[in-house]
């Protein structure tokens, strides 16, 4: 494969493979397992994505941080059916179809088609195309194609972990007035008020029926992370706080202070059903000011 200058492939000590990108506009790393973006550092900015220092980078284990690609279910699989939390896409090997450069932006096109795991969980006929565009903006476009003769119902999320100065000095705007499912309160449905979201305890909420752009206002680092999206009706906000973090072996005890997840998704009520042969594209576009 002909690679633009500044794009390298490397095998990691843990036995995974990744692409590293160094362009005039940004630096980034993407693992072939899960097509998992782990780093994105636009020029003259601090890293935008959080990755745990204790994350495992070994085959078959989810990476803690960056942007996990969640598909075809969100959270635990429902219906008493078997399968790993957040689906099997993030721990499967994806194929890198192409690498293109357009001015300062480098786009990597990854493809995922049914593997043994997918078939064993009842997903024999689909194709995912995931285009990762690295530049002064990070654009992630996940397209699902239903290649079966039956309707395909699935959930999905670009489960972005953002690096922040301190969780108690951020606020999140864009979700005012939305309805959300509170996963820390027995999945109760609640109404977000007209205030920005501030986080002062374990927070795990799936905001429904919202296509809004959201902003993380990071007062400690004096920056804003703007996340626009299309083809996504859910936005998930998660911070494990102190006690939940203690249960996560791949997070340091103080990591909860340094990260917040704000995820562009289609989850719960917003699961997608594709007719045979149909497709759906979820796009999230991230920039820093
Ligand atoms: O998106 C929030 C969430 O669903 C939380 O409930 C928590 O489980 C988080 O994802 C991380 O999940 P993981 O399987 O990566 O540990």
């Amino acid at each position: 494969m002909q690679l633009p200058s500044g794009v390298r492939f490397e095998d990691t000590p843990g036995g995974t493979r990744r692409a590293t990108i160094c362009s005039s506009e940004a630096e980034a790393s993407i693992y072939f397992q899960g097509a998992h973006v782990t780093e994105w550092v636009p020029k003259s900015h601090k890293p935008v994505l959080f990755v745990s220092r204790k994350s495992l980078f070994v085959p078959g284990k989810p990476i803690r941080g960056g942007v996990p690609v969640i598909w075809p279910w969100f959270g635990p699989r429902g219906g008493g059916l078997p399968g790993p939390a957040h689906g099997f896409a993030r721990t499967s090997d994806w194929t890198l179809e192409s690498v293109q450069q357009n001015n300062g932006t480098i786009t990597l096109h990854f493809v995922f088609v049914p593997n043994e795991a997918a078939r064993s969980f009842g997903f024999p006929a689909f194709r995912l195309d995931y285009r990762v565009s690295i530049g002064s903006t990070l654009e992630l476009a996940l397209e699902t194609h239903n290649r079966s003769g039956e309707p395909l119902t699935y959930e999905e999320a670009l489960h972005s972990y953002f690096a922040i100065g301190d969780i108690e000095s951020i606020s999140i705007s864009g979700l005012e007035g939305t309805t959300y499912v509170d996963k820390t309160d027995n999945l109760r449905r609640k109404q977000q008020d007209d205030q920005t979201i501030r986080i002062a305890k374990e927070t795990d909420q799936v905001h429904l029926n919202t296509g809004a752009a959201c902003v993380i206002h990071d007062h400690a680092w004096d920056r804003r992370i703007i996340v626009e999206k299309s083809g996504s009706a859910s936005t998930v906000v998660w911070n494990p706080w102190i006690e939940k973090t203690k249960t996560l072996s791949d997070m340091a005890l103080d990591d909860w202070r340094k990260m917040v997840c704000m995820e562009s998704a289609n989850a719960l009520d917003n699961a997608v059903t594709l007719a045979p042969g149909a497709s759906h594209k979820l796009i999230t576009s991230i920039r820093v000011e």
Side-chain angles (χ1 to χ4, degrees):
M1 179 183 295
Q2 184 67 29
L3 295 178
S5 65
V7 179
R8 299 273 183 283
F9 297 157
E10 56 191 33
D11 293 319
T12 66
T16 52
R17 188 161 172 73
R18 71 181 177 190
T20 59
I21 289 92
C22 181
S23 76
S24 58
E25 293 188 4
E27 295 184 7
S29 300
I30 305 139
Y31 282 73
F32 283 61
Q33 174 175 283
H36 193 136
V37 179
T38 54
E39 294 169 285
W40 174 55
V41 188
K43 281 286 181 277
S44 76
H45 285 284
K46 290 185 177 71
V48 180
L49 302 177
F50 165 87
V51 181
S52 166
R53 297 186 308 279
K54 297 182 70 178
S55 181
L56 299 174
F57 294 92
V58 298
K61 296 286 185 195
I63 294 168
R64 178 67 64 188
V67 185
V69 177
I70 306 301
W71 197 92
W73 58 81
F74 184 81
R77 189 177 188 190
L81 294 166
H86 282 328
F88 47 80
R90 65 174 174 171
T91 49
S92 294
D93 286 332
W94 292 50
T95 302
L96 182 59
E97 189 91 352
S98 68
V99 184
Q100 311 283 336
Q101 177 151 14
N102 178 5
N103 297 325
T105 298
I106 292 176
T107 298
L108 295 91
H109 174 192
F110 288 91
V111 172
F112 178 40
V113 292
N115 57 9
E116 191 179 328
R119 286 188 288 271
S120 74
F121 294 127
F123 292 82
F126 65 85
R127 174 183 163 116
L128 301 188
D129 285 281
Y130 186 44
R131 289 177 173 81
V132 176
S133 295
I134 307 281
S136 55
T137 296
L138 175 65
E139 182 177 281
L140 305 171
L142 178 64
E143 189 164 20
T144 297
H145 305 277
N146 178 7
R147 304 180 96 174
S148 82
E150 304 297 322
L152 169 65
T153 297
Y154 66 95
E155 296 173 297
E156 58 187 344
L158 296 175
H159 191 300
S160 306
Y161 286 69
F162 292 104
I164 54 175
D166 184 290
I167 191 69
E168 295 184 280
S169 68
I170 68 157
S171 60
I172 293 174
S173 62
L175 295 170
E176 293 81 356
T178 57
T179 297
Y180 65 92
V181 173
D182 187 342
K183 292 173 65 177
T184 67
D185 187 9
N186 300 311
L187 302 181
R188 282 193 176 84
R189 288 171 183 247
K190 302 178 179 177
Q191 193 77 18
Q192 184 63 37
D193 59 23
D194 60 357
Q195 302 300 305
T196 59
I197 294 172
R198 300 191 75 96
I199 295 176
K201 62 182 177 66
E202 180 184 355
T203 301
D204 193 350
Q205 39 201 70
V206 181
H207 293 258
L208 298 170
N209 308 318
T210 172
C214 292
V215 181
I216 298 170
H217 304 266
D218 184 338
H219 304 290
W221 282 358
D222 190 24
R223 74 177 184 182
R224 295 170 350 122
I225 298 175
I226 298 102
V227 179
E228 296 175 318
K229 64 176 192 171
S230 66
S232 159
S234 319
T235 296
V236 184
V237 177
W238 179 58
N239 181 278
W241 210 250
I242 302 165
E243 293 312 313
K244 180 71 179 281
T245 299
K246 290 176 184 172
T247 70
L248 301 172
S249 59
D250 55 1
M251 279 183 81
L253 291 180
D254 60 352
D255 274 347
W256 58 276
R257 279 201 170 277
K258 306 170 184 174
M259 53 71 68
V260 66
C261 284
M262 190 165 78
E263 310 158 31
S264 302
N266 287 302
L268 305 180
D269 309 18
N270 297 136
V272 178
T273 294
L274 291 179
S279 302
H280 177 81
K281 190 183 289 189
L282 185 167
I283 301 176
T284 193
S285 178
I286 303 165
R287 69 182 194 277
V288 189
E289 292 176 349

